[in-house]
Amino acid sequence: MPPATTTEALADRLRGLQERKDLARLGADPKATERQHAKGKLTAHERIALLLDKGSFSEVEPLRRHRATGFGLEARRPYTDGVITGWGTVEGRTVFVYAHDFRIFGGALGEAHAQKIHKIMDMAIAAGAPLVSLNDGAGARIQEGVSALAGYGGIFQRNSRASGVIPQISVMLGPCAGGAAYSPALTDFIFAVRDISQMFITGPDVVKAVTGEEISQNGLGGADVHAGVSGVAHFVYDDEETCLAEVRYLLSLLPSNNRELPPYAQSGDAADRAGDVLLDLVPADGNRSYDIRAVIEELVDDGDFMEVHAAWAPNIVCALARIDGHVVGIVANQPASMAGVLDIKASEKGARFVQFCDAFSIPLVTLVDVPGFLPGVDQEHEGIIRRGAKLLYAYCNATVPRISVVLRKAYGGAYIVMDSRSIGADIALAWPTNEIAVMGAEGAANVVFRREIAAADDPEAMRDSKIEEYKQELVHPYYAAERGLVDDVIDPRETRPVLSRALAMLATKHADLPRRKHGNPPQ
């Protein structure tokens, strides 16, 4: 047989390359894909295809294989080593991604697997582009011992180094147990899917062995548990397709890195649109409840906003939205839940959101209707002082444009904490229904005039009289404005136009913090 020509030899090599690429994509076991689908789960490549723009994915190290020996590993060396890494685009902007492939070693992390993740994380940091992890793995690869554990250390280190530099998003699409759970915890946002996402440090079997408690995986660390009880998950959805579509939407609201501004999007919603409906949404009576989300909907472009941690600490609402095409972060007390009071969970939820917005140059709009901090022995014993201080610290440390609007009640220390003028709000506004005071008139009258009330022939009549006196002297809507504590009292219907103009004015704001390595926030 005559020797092969150069063209034939190259064609043969190309066929070999394609065979390896096909094997890397399809996996060595065709039934593994069937098993993944039977669980109601997509494969890693299918997930990446939903996340990124069509045809934009470029894979890194698809032919990587582990070099471990022992326990039969030397006979099992599949391509990719159980993790798909690479980059693509979301709405035309570069995004890096890694996705555990549960079909290979159950997505467990080994040395080569970890090195692939380290590389893609380093690339994301260097390129200044968001990083999305699609988590579906069984933890460390036990057969590789401490080498696997060291791989997690490298991931944690890079998560920390990337914090506040590039957006990091974790999507939980399967199990995530033990130390593996700490990587998502170090990222900015965690998405979860009901029935297939589980996160826990120790699983149900260990819990039963140690405490005697019996609980299912979903009961211990399912999506709804982490969305509504622990506060670990920020978003939860019913299926993977919806979840990944919402990840794309979140990315459209975020800058690629901390050196860029959030992307502008042209809106057909006029910046000077009056909000007549606001007059009916917020009752003048401070004891009546309402849903602050209806107010937010009226203020933002096209009524569209993305609420963060919707099921956890619902007495405060945190959301990303646009006003006149520009992305803003909104923090608002929620009178429909616990009267909008601040407690430990609400303080921690608000603090983390404020810090995120500040890290990525997202202006803050704070809507205030707060009766105070939640009283109670449990709150005090569980650290409301130090944990409530987290929200105060976050606002005081923020250098992005900050605008606060007092809608109704703003009492005591909670008023100060909710981005009051005294802690650095650039623009402080109030509606004519505002009540800015140390406390409500009823409580204040009982303290200030307790002797007069006790000595009166008709204590109840005296109390009513003193309450009215206190309101007239200190709780009227213009008391704070007369002292420069708010910049203006505005017609509620003009709130959106006023916010639009103020945000445009503050777009060039520049503020520097004192030179330091970093602050030491309350824990």
Side-chain angles (χ1 to χ4, degrees), residues 288-302:
R288 290 180 59 194
S289 177
Y290 65 94
D291 191 341
I292 193 65
R293 289 173 295 190
V295 176
I296 296 172
E297 186 176 323
E298 184 63 23
L299 296 179
V300 303
D301 290 355
D302 304 310

Side-chain angles (χ1 to χ4, degrees), residues 110-432:
E111 184 178 22
H113 182 122
Q115 288 172 351
K116 288 183 65 175
I117 295 175
H118 296 169
K119 176 181 283 190
I120 211 67
M121 295 180 80
D122 289 339
M123 292 174 68
I125 295 169
L131 174 70
V132 179
S133 64
L134 306 179
N135 297 270
D136 186 7
R141 197 173 299 168
I142 298 173
Q143 300 95 320
E144 293 195 31
V146 72
S147 296
L149 291 179
Y152 276 121
I155 294 173
F156 302 158
Q157 182 189 51
R158 287 165 174 83
N159 284 139
S160 300
R161 196 166 74 235
S163 181
V165 178
I166 58 172
Q168 299 180 84
I169 298 172
S170 298
V171 189
M172 313 313 296
L173 300 169
C176 187
Y182 281 114
S183 177
L186 289 168
T187 61
D188 298 305
F189 297 104
I190 296 176
F191 286 72
V193 177
R194 291 184 177 93
D195 298 326
I196 68 169
S197 302
Q198 296 98 29
M199 296 176 70
F200 33 71
I201 299 301
T202 56
D205 292 341
V206 176
V207 169
K208 182 179 179 180
V210 175
T211 70
E213 298 172 284
E214 291 193 25
I215 192 167
S216 67
Q217 288 194 348
N218 279 328
L220 181 63
D224 286 314
V225 168
H226 285 309
V229 180
S230 72
V232 170
H234 300 80
F235 306 96
V236 61
Y237 300 98
D238 290 328
D239 56 78
E240 294 190 41
E241 292 82 359
T242 303
C243 179
L244 292 168
E246 290 299 297
V247 174
R248 286 178 57 89
Y249 178 52
L250 175 60
L251 286 167
S252 75
L253 295 168
L254 304 181
S256 293
N257 55 65
N258 65 342
R259 301 184 303 276
E260 296 182 4
L261 294 175
Y264 172 81
Q266 187 70 41
S267 171
D269 195 351
D272 60 354
R273 169 176 55 79
D276 294 338
V277 70
L278 290 172
L279 297 180
D280 299 319
L281 286 178
V282 181
D285 181 357
N287 293 319
R288 290 180 59 194
S289 177
Y290 65 94
D291 191 341
I292 193 65
R293 289 173 295 190
V295 176
I296 296 172
E297 186 176 323
E298 184 63 23
L299 296 179
V300 303
D301 290 355
D302 304 310
D304 191 18
F305 63 92
M306 188 173 197
E307 187 174 354
V308 179
H309 263 147
W312 187 64
N315 42 319
I316 194 168
V317 172
C318 299
L320 291 165
R322 283 189 168 91
I323 294 179
D324 194 21
H326 297 282
V327 178
V328 296
I330 297 174
V331 181
N333 305 114
Q334 173 58 294
S337 176
M338 299 168 61
V341 71
L342 284 179
D343 63 352
I344 287 172
K345 290 181 180 179
S347 298
E348 293 187 331
K349 171 180 170 178
R352 185 88 195 291
F353 183 74
V354 168
Q355 287 171 177
F356 174 82
C357 290
D358 187 51
F360 291 103
S361 302
I362 299 173
L364 287 161
V365 174
T366 304
L367 304 178
V368 185
D369 192 347
V370 62
F373 281 95
L374 180 65
V377 174
D378 287 346
Q379 288 287 303
E380 296 294 344
H381 286 185
E382 291 175 16
I384 185 63
I385 295 173
R386 63 178 174 83
R387 296 164 77 177
K390 293 181 181 182
L391 182 56
L392 177 61
Y393 185 97
Y395 269 125
C396 290
N397 208 45
T399 60
V400 291
R402 292 156 50 190
I403 303 171
S404 65
V405 186
V406 178
L407 309 187
R408 285 194 319 188
K409 299 185 297 295
Y411 293 157
Y415 153 63
I416 300 298
V417 168
M418 288 297 295
D419 205 18
S420 63
R421 186 60 182 273
S422 60
I423 65 168
D426 298 294
I427 299 291
L429 305 168
W431 286 4

